[in-house]
Amino acid sequence: MGAPEASSGDHVPDDGFVAVAADDELWDGEMEAYDVGAAEVLLVKLDGEYRAFDGICPHQSVSLVEGTLDGATLTCRAHEWSFDARSGAGVNPRTACLVRHAVRVRDGQVLVSRTPLPATEPAH
Ligand code: FES
């Protein structure tokens, strides 16, 4: 196991995943931001499943947790760019996508990969 990069108290398994929340911490339709290493990751729970994205807007780096989640549409508070919170795909504009992180649920904990998924890889 390498040196943990997450804040103290985080459990850092040796596979690059960081425990960010208890499995029952978010309600369906909620989102929350967590520090994962040096980056902020946005965790979204929809239809009982978790998705994780880089926590900053691809437009001008405003924290996405300050935005709104309406159904599966995540909207940045700053200039109202919106994204599909299931896939990270851009809704408006369509060309701007969120950077996804892999998520696992294990032993009652939600774990997020510190390393983003490649842009071409499917969300699950
Ligand atoms: S910073 Fe998010 S829409 Fe401009």
Side-chain angles (χ1 to χ4, degrees):
M1 180 146 110
E5 294 177 18
S7 59
S8 62
D10 285 338
H11 174 62
V12 183
D14 58 6
D15 59 0
F17 280 75
V18 178
V20 295
D23 187 18
D24 59 357
E25 192 168 313
L26 292 185
W27 291 87
D28 220 60
E30 279 191 325
M31 60 182 179
E32 188 55 72
Y34 300 94
D35 290 330
V36 177
E40 180 179 289
V41 168
L42 183 73
L43 185 67
V44 179
K45 188 174 186 180
L46 288 171
D47 303 325
E49 293 187 19
Y50 292 97
R51 278 84 169 174
F53 307 97
D54 274 358
I56 59 169
C57 181
H59 182 215
Q60 291 183 359
S61 302
V62 170
S63 180
L64 287 169
V65 76
E66 298 172 12
T68 58
L69 183 63
D70 182 11
T73 302
L74 171 62
T75 302
C76 178
R77 69 157 176 82
H79 312 102
E80 300 189 345
W81 282 23
S82 57
F83 308 90
D84 184 330
R86 291 189 173 95
S87 65
V91 173
N92 185 22
R94 290 195 179 279
T95 53
C97 298
L98 301 179
V99 176
R100 296 169 300 156
H101 290 249
V103 180
R104 294 178 182 165
V105 178
R106 188 167 60 201
D107 299 329
Q109 295 285 307
V110 182
L111 301 107
V112 174
S113 173
R114 285 179 288 191
T115 306
L117 290 168
T120 56
E121 204 168 296
H124 297 288

Coordinates of all heavy atoms in Angstrom, one line a residue, residues 56-64 75-83, ligand 1:
I56 N -15.5 19.7 -10.5 CA -15.4 21.1 -11.0 C -16.0 21.1 -12.4 O -15.9 20.2 -13.2 CB -14.0 21.7 -11.0 CG1 -13.1 20.9 -11.9 CG2 -13.5 21.9 -9.6 CD1 -11.8 21.5 -12.1
C57 N -16.7 22.2 -12.7 CA -17.3 22.4 -14.0 C -16.3 22.6 -15.1 O -15.3 23.3 -14.9 CB -18.2 23.7 -14.0 SG -19.1 24.0 -15.5
P58 N -16.5 21.9 -16.3 CA -15.5 22.0 -17.4 C -15.5 23.4 -18.0 O -14.6 23.7 -18.8 CB -15.9 21.0 -18.4 CG -17.3 20.7 -18.1 CD -17.5 21.0 -16.6
H59 N -16.4 24.2 -17.7 CA -16.5 25.6 -18.3 C -15.4 26.5 -17.6 O -14.4 26.8 -18.2 CB -17.9 26.2 -18.2 CG -18.0 27.5 -18.8 ND1 -18.8 28.5 -18.3 CD2 -17.4 28.1 -19.9 CE1 -18.7 29.6 -19.0 NE2 -17.9 29.4 -20.0
Q60 N -15.7 26.9 -16.3 CA -14.8 27.8 -15.6 C -14.5 27.3 -14.2 O -14.2 28.1 -13.3 CB -15.3 29.2 -15.7 CG -15.3 29.8 -17.1 CD -15.8 31.3 -17.1 OE1 -16.1 31.8 -16.1 NE2 -15.8 31.8 -18.3
S61 N -14.5 26.0 -14.0 CA -14.0 25.4 -12.8 C -14.8 25.8 -11.5 O -14.2 25.7 -10.4 CB -12.5 25.7 -12.6 OG -11.8 25.2 -13.7
V62 N -16.1 26.1 -11.6 CA -16.9 26.3 -10.5 C -17.3 24.9 -9.9 O -17.5 24.0 -10.6 CB -18.1 27.1 -10.8 CG1 -19.2 27.2 -9.7 CG2 -17.7 28.5 -11.2
S63 N -17.3 24.9 -8.6 CA -17.7 23.6 -7.9 C -19.1 23.2 -8.3 O -20.1 23.9 -8.1 CB -17.6 23.8 -6.4 OG -17.9 22.5 -5.8
L64 N -19.2 22.0 -8.8 CA -20.5 21.5 -9.3 C -21.5 21.2 -8.2 O -22.7 21.2 -8.4 CB -20.3 20.3 -10.2 CG -19.7 20.5 -11.6 CD1 -19.4 19.2 -12.2 CD2 -20.7 21.3 -12.4
T75 N -27.0 20.9 -13.2 CA -26.8 22.2 -13.8 C -25.9 23.0 -12.9 O -26.1 23.1 -11.7 CB -28.1 23.0 -13.9 OG1 -29.0 22.2 -14.7 CG2 -28.0 24.3 -14.6
C76 N -24.8 23.5 -13.6 CA -23.9 24.4 -12.9 C -24.5 25.7 -12.5 O -25.2 26.3 -13.3 CB -22.6 24.6 -13.8 SG -21.4 25.7 -13.0
R77 N -24.2 26.2 -11.3 CA -24.8 27.4 -10.8 C -24.3 28.7 -11.6 O -25.0 29.7 -11.6 CB -24.6 27.6 -9.3 CG -23.2 27.9 -9.0 CD -23.1 28.6 -7.6 NE -21.7 28.9 -7.2 CZ -20.9 29.9 -7.7 NH1 -21.4 30.8 -8.5 NH2 -19.7 30.0 -7.3
A78 N -23.1 28.6 -12.1 CA -22.5 29.8 -12.6 C -23.1 30.3 -13.9 O -23.5 31.4 -14.0 CB -21.0 29.6 -12.8
H79 N -23.1 29.4 -14.9 CA -23.6 29.9 -16.2 C -24.6 28.9 -16.8 O -24.9 28.8 -18.0 CB -22.4 30.1 -17.2 CG -21.3 30.9 -16.6 ND1 -20.2 30.3 -16.1 CD2 -21.2 32.2 -16.4 CE1 -19.4 31.3 -15.6 NE2 -20.0 32.4 -15.8
E80 N -25.1 28.0 -15.9 CA -26.1 27.0 -16.2 C -25.8 26.0 -17.3 O -26.7 25.6 -18.0 CB -27.4 27.8 -16.5 CG -27.9 28.6 -15.3 CD -29.3 29.2 -15.5 OE1 -29.8 29.2 -16.6 OE2 -29.8 29.6 -14.4
W81 N -24.5 25.7 -17.5 CA -24.2 24.5 -18.3 C -24.9 23.3 -17.6 O -24.9 23.2 -16.4 CB -22.7 24.3 -18.5 CG -22.1 25.3 -19.4 CD1 -22.5 26.5 -19.9 CD2 -20.8 25.1 -20.1 NE1 -21.7 27.1 -20.7 CE2 -20.6 26.2 -20.9 CE3 -19.9 24.0 -20.1 CZ2 -19.5 26.3 -21.7 CZ3 -18.8 24.2 -20.9 CH2 -18.5 25.3 -21.7
S82 N -25.4 22.4 -18.4 CA -26.0 21.2 -17.8 C -25.5 19.9 -18.4 O -25.0 19.9 -19.6 CB -27.6 21.4 -18.0 OG -27.9 21.5 -19.3
F83 N -25.6 18.9 -17.6 CA -25.0 17.6 -17.9 C -26.0 16.5 -17.5 O -26.8 16.7 -16.6 CB -23.7 17.4 -17.1 CG -22.8 18.6 -17.3 CD1 -22.8 19.7 -16.4 CD2 -21.9 18.6 -18.3 CE1 -22.0 20.8 -16.6 CE2 -21.0 19.7 -18.5 CZ -21.1 20.8 -17.6
Ligands
FES1 S1 -18.5 27.6 -14.7 FE1 -20.0 26.1 -14.9 S2 -21.3 26.9 -16.5 FE2 -19.7 28.3 -16.3

